[in-house]
């Protein structure tokens, strides 16, 4: 097979009709497809073209597949991507997916083409679950589900599966996402706003013993890391009701550090921050909580549906799950979540040190004890410089630093796959920018 970077050199009179032009183009394409080297043809030439004839010159070079790059590296891409999600993925994962994309492990099919019930994909999803269980030490008391619809869909699925319409559930609201989950729950149960940080612009978390929990609540819901506001739980509250459970949206710090899953009844997370591309949502639910969904629960929101069918009730997001499997394998190869957490703490510490050491030129509004290691929001003391900061950073190949539209400012998302070198480059740029704008 050959690919053409342009079209052969031709010179011919202006065609008399569209049909004539079409015929000539077909002739040109046929000539190009049979060429084995650089092609130079002349069609319908006239020895004495009239002055009214117009000539079209087109050149073509035949390109063999070997001349097209088949590899990619972080250096070749040349960009540090600080996006909040979808976010940067490990280089080794992208390269592995690239190498297997056309012909997955000799199957003659791409992973995107094969049946989700075939042996090849069955091995993929089983390994994804197995490696995730190893990473988080998930016992058989829990079912691991690969779902669709994003974490936002789980805002409805949680109360539908864990409550009756008249039941109450406690919500701790520490930012935009936990606020959205609280509002969605109002459609399916009677949620109690145990505490909200809105009055302080979501910059802290109240001590757990001061949070007013309802003793009859079916569950206590938290968002373990607020992607927009940069607030992260460093430890987790315990429901006051002994028969209640802790539920967590862990979308933006999932697999960034070890977590004792046994302390939770349900964990859910969109994959597109730390463990994969957009399109797949992971839920880890205690098996004894399955099978109690409200009668109105759509079949696709019933966790038992997916647990009983091993996440294969319908066609799952196969390619996204495959990428997750590669990420889980990569995390294990790096030494597991203890090693990952140490690296994340080092990156975050470096960035926060630069902010706090800037003499107020840069400001992070979040209380130090709950600052996120994943999403670092900050502003410039002179807000008129923020746009220039983001634009100049982009010119230095550091992209997606603009803060969320609801809060503005700057936000650097430094998930697992962000290398230390990326944070070091950002810190160096921050210091240089400050020096140039005294």
């Amino acid at each position: 097979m050959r690919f053409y970077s342009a079209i052969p050199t031709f010179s011919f009179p202006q065609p008399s009709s569209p049909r004539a032009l079409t015929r000539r183009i077909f002739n040109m394409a046929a000539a190009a497809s049979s060429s084995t080297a650089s092609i130079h043809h002349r069609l319908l030439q006239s020895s004495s073209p009239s002055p009214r004839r117009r000539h079209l010159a087109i050149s073509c070079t035949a390109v063999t597949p070997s001349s097209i790059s088949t590899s990619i590296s972080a250096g070749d891409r040349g960009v540090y991507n600080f996006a909040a999600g979808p976010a940067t993925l490990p280089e080794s994962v992208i390269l592995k997916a690239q190498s297997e994309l056309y012909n997955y492990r000799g199957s003659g099919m791409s992973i995107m083409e094969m049946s989700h019930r075939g042996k090849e994909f069955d091995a993929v999803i089983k390994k994804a679950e197995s490696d995730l269980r190893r990473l988080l030490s998930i016992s058989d008391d829990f079912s691991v589900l690969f779902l669709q619809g994003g974490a936002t869909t789980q805002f409805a699925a949680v109360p539908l599966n864990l409550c009756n319409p008249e039941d109450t559930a406690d919500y701790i609201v520490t930012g935009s996402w936990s606020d959205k989950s609280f509002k969605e729950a109002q459609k399916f149960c009677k949620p109690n706003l145990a505490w909200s940080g809105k009055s302080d612009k979501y910059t802290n978390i109240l001590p757990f013993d001061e949070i007013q929990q309802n003793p009859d609540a079916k569950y206590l819901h938290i968002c373990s890391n607020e992607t927009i506001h940069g607030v992260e739980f460093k430890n987790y509250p315990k429901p006051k009701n002994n028969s209640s459970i802790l539920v967590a949206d862990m979308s933006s710090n999932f697999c960034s550090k070890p977590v004792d899953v046994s302390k939770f009844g349900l964990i859910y997370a969109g994959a597109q921050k730390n463990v994969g591309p957009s399109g797949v949502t992971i839920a880890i639910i205690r098996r004894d909580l399955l099978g109690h969904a409200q009668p109105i629960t759509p079949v696709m929101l019933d966790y038992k549906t997916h647990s009983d069918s091993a996440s294969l009730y319908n066609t799952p997001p196969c390619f996204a799950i495959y990428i997750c499997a590669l990420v889980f394998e990569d995390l294990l190869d790096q030494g597991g979540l203890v090693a990952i957490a140490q690296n994340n703490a080092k990156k975050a510490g470096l960035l926060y040190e630069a902010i706090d050491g800037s003499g107020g030129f840069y400001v992070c509004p979040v209380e130090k004890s709950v600052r996120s290691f994943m999403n670092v929001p900050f502003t410039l003391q002179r807000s008129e410089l923020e746009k220039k900061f983001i634009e100049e950073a982009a010119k230095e190949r550091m992209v997606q630093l603009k803060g969320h539209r609801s809060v503005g400012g700057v936000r650097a998302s430094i998930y697992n796959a962000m290398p230390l070198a990326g944070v070091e480059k950002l810190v160096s740029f921050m210091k240089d920018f400050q020096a140039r704008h005294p």
Side-chain angles (χ1 to χ4, degrees), residues 10-227:
F10 293 98
S11 179
F12 53 86
Q14 180 73 16
S16 59
S17 68
R19 180 174 296 179
L21 174 60
T22 302
R23 184 168 59 252
R24 288 172 186 174
I25 291 173
F26 281 139
N27 289 338
M28 291 160 58
S33 65
S34 63
S35 175
T36 59
S38 294
I39 304 173
H40 299 284
H41 292 287
R42 304 179 77 81
L43 293 181
L44 304 176
Q45 289 181 302
S46 171
S47 58
S48 57
S50 71
R52 295 184 62 185
R53 288 175 174 160
R54 295 193 302 184
H55 292 73
L56 175 64
I58 314 169
S59 63
C60 175
T61 300
V63 181
T64 60
S66 61
S67 65
I68 298 176
S69 174
T70 56
S71 65
I72 187 171
S73 70
D76 291 334
R77 294 200 293 176
V79 167
Y80 289 115
N81 175 16
F82 291 92
T88 189
L89 287 166
E91 176 188 351
S92 61
V93 167
I94 294 175
L95 291 171
K96 180 74 170 177
Q98 180 195 42
S99 70
E100 296 184 334
L101 184 62
Y102 180 66
N103 184 358
Y104 178 73
R105 303 185 186 182
S107 66
M109 298 175 285
S110 169
I111 195 77
M112 297 185 290
E113 300 173 305
M114 59 182 55
S115 170
H116 61 291
R117 304 195 188 280
K119 63 179 182 180
E120 293 89 357
F121 184 74
D122 183 63
V124 168
I125 195 169
K126 284 181 177 176
K127 188 174 190 305
E129 178 179 340
S130 175
D131 284 352
L132 180 57
R133 286 184 179 276
R134 286 179 60 194
L135 281 167
L136 286 169
S137 300
I138 304 171
S139 74
D140 287 339
D141 293 333
F142 289 81
S143 184
V144 174
L145 310 176
F146 296 95
L147 309 172
Q148 301 179 63
T152 303
T153 300
Q154 304 312 306
F155 296 167
V158 169
L160 282 169
N161 280 268
L162 302 180
C163 287
N164 289 317
E166 298 304 314
D167 289 336
T168 186
D170 282 338
Y171 279 74
I172 297 175
V173 174
T174 52
S176 293
W177 294 110
S178 48
D179 183 56
K180 289 177 185 293
S181 64
F182 170 70
K183 290 175 179 176
E184 184 72 359
Q186 294 173 21
K187 302 173 183 177
F188 308 109
C189 68
K190 298 186 180 302
N192 169 54
L193 184 58
W195 180 78
S196 171
K198 187 174 183 178
S199 62
D200 292 324
K201 298 183 178 179
Y202 299 125
T203 56
N204 64 344
I205 299 176
L206 195 68
F208 297 154
D209 59 1
E210 297 180 30
I211 294 175
Q212 299 299 310
Q213 294 188 45
N214 186 325
D216 296 321
K218 285 286 187 175
Y219 62 82
L220 172 62
H221 183 282
I222 64 170
C223 177
S224 63
N225 184 81
E226 288 284 355
T227 318

Side-chain angles (χ1 to χ4, degrees), residues 236-247:
Y236 304 106
K238 182 180 179 181
K240 287 186 177 179
N241 180 354
N242 290 331
S243 62
S244 184
I245 60 170
L246 182 59
V247 175

